[in-house]
Amino acid sequence: MSTNAEIRKWILTNPFVGILLFQIVVILLLASNNKTLSFISRTNIDWLGREAVYTLHLVHIPQEKKNSFLLDARVLSVADSLSVEEASGMIRLYVQKDSAASSLQQGDIIAVACKPSLPRKSADDFDYSKYLIYNGIAAQAYSDSLSWRKVSHSAIYTPQAIAERVRAFLAKTYNNPNISRRNASIISALTLGDRSTLDADTRSAFVNAGAMHILAVSGLHVGIIYLLLLRLLTGFGLWTPLYKRKYL
């Protein structure tokens, strides 16, 4: 049997190859599109600092914070008592947490009364404004529950948007009654690179153990290491995968 045939047979009969390939596709999509919005020019944001009603298209999955939801959105139009104008650019909006805000999804179009501005430097001299601009976001704004409403929905099918939805779906699978919340947060950090759910005690435990770098390992790395070990062990006859074992 030729080498190519052996490789094809191994790929088709190894159930972990599919998992690895899926992880590679998702990670490449995220990596290649992570800065797709960074090209947005700041010359078209004459609405900055203007108090008006903004029509926004949510381009990312809303992120739940302690007292609010973080929404990254594309500005579609700006309206005041005198006119309605088409607009462009990205804005980071924080809306007050309530049942209506919790139902927002990627692709929703909302109208919100606000006054976008650039954030000030933090006490530790971190330039958050520069950080937002680097990520293609021109300004940020805040809104209470009474200052916004959902207008419609327009689904987004960019590679990054699809990858985000797949990642969110995988994260939900970890919310299993058989998996403790702490273990689920660690699994999510290792396989999806999402460390937002790690509690302070877990972070401290990894720091004190000198193993914080482990949480920086992505699912892709874990998959590659696993397949290399699997290939070495099976190649030397030290271990037989479960799917190849025969039971009487």
Side-chain angles (χ1 to χ4, degrees):
M1 185 179 293
S2 66
T3 302
N4 290 336
E6 291 179 353
I7 293 175
R8 286 196 297 269
K9 182 180 179 180
W10 181 79
I11 291 176
L12 292 174
T13 57
N14 195 323
F16 299 103
V17 172
I19 297 175
L20 177 61
L21 291 177
F22 175 78
Q23 290 179 334
I24 291 175
V25 171
V26 171
I27 292 172
L28 288 179
L29 288 175
L30 286 173
S32 62
N33 292 279
N34 189 38
K35 305 300 179 186
T36 53
L37 300 176
S38 62
F39 69 90
I40 296 176
S41 172
R42 303 195 65 220
T43 59
N44 296 325
I45 56 170
D46 52 358
W47 43 262
L48 184 62
R50 178 180 171 186
E51 189 167 0
V53 176
Y54 292 79
T55 302
L56 308 176
H57 190 197
L58 308 188
V59 298
H60 297 306
I61 295 175
Q63 300 178 36
E64 184 175 1
K65 302 298 182 180
K66 184 177 180 180
N67 299 310
S68 63
F69 279 91
L70 183 157
L71 313 174
D72 284 340
R74 180 176 292 108
V75 181
L76 301 180
S77 67
V78 181
D80 55 24
S81 58
L82 300 177
S83 62
V84 178
E85 304 171 0
E86 291 187 357
S88 62
M90 288 287 295
I91 186 173
R92 173 160 290 180
L93 177 68
Y94 292 88
V95 297
Q96 184 179 348
K97 184 183 291 187
D98 60 12
S99 58
S102 63
S103 66
L104 287 172
Q105 303 176 35
Q106 180 188 62
D108 284 347
I109 297 176
I110 65 173
V112 55
C114 62
K115 185 178 180 179
S117 62
L118 289 175
R120 299 177 180 178
K121 285 188 176 181
S122 59
D124 58 0
D125 204 35
F126 175 67
D127 194 341
Y128 189 57
S129 173
K130 187 175 181 180
Y131 168 79
L132 290 181
I133 293 172
Y134 176 76
N135 286 276
I137 299 173
Q140 67 177 14
Y142 302 87
S143 173
D144 57 34
S145 300
L146 302 177
S147 300
W148 70 273
R149 64 183 178 87
K150 180 178 175 179
V151 177
S152 61
H153 181 87
S154 178
I156 302 175
Y157 296 104
T158 63
Q160 183 183 14
I162 295 173
E164 281 187 12
R165 292 196 287 271
V166 171
R167 184 182 182 186
F169 171 78
L170 293 176
K172 287 182 179 179
T173 63
Y174 298 147
N175 295 327
N176 190 304
N178 298 320
I179 304 177
S180 68
R181 187 168 185 177
R182 185 181 187 183
N183 289 341
S185 65
I186 295 175
I187 295 173
S188 182
L190 288 173
T191 60
L192 302 177
D194 180 12
R195 295 181 288 276
S196 62
T197 58
L198 290 173
D199 56 44
D201 291 339
T202 302
R203 289 176 182 270
S204 298
F206 274 90
V207 170
N208 294 335
M212 193 63 183
H213 61 281
I214 294 178
L215 297 181
V217 178
S218 70
L220 175 60
H221 299 143
V222 174
I224 291 175
I225 293 172
Y226 174 82
L227 285 179
L228 287 175
L229 290 175
L230 177 67
R231 189 59 175 170
L232 287 173
L233 292 174
T234 55
F236 288 104
L238 300 177
W239 181 68
T240 303
L242 292 176
Y243 65 90
K244 286 187 176 181
R245 297 181 186 179
K246 296 180 180 181
Y247 298 93
L248 297 177

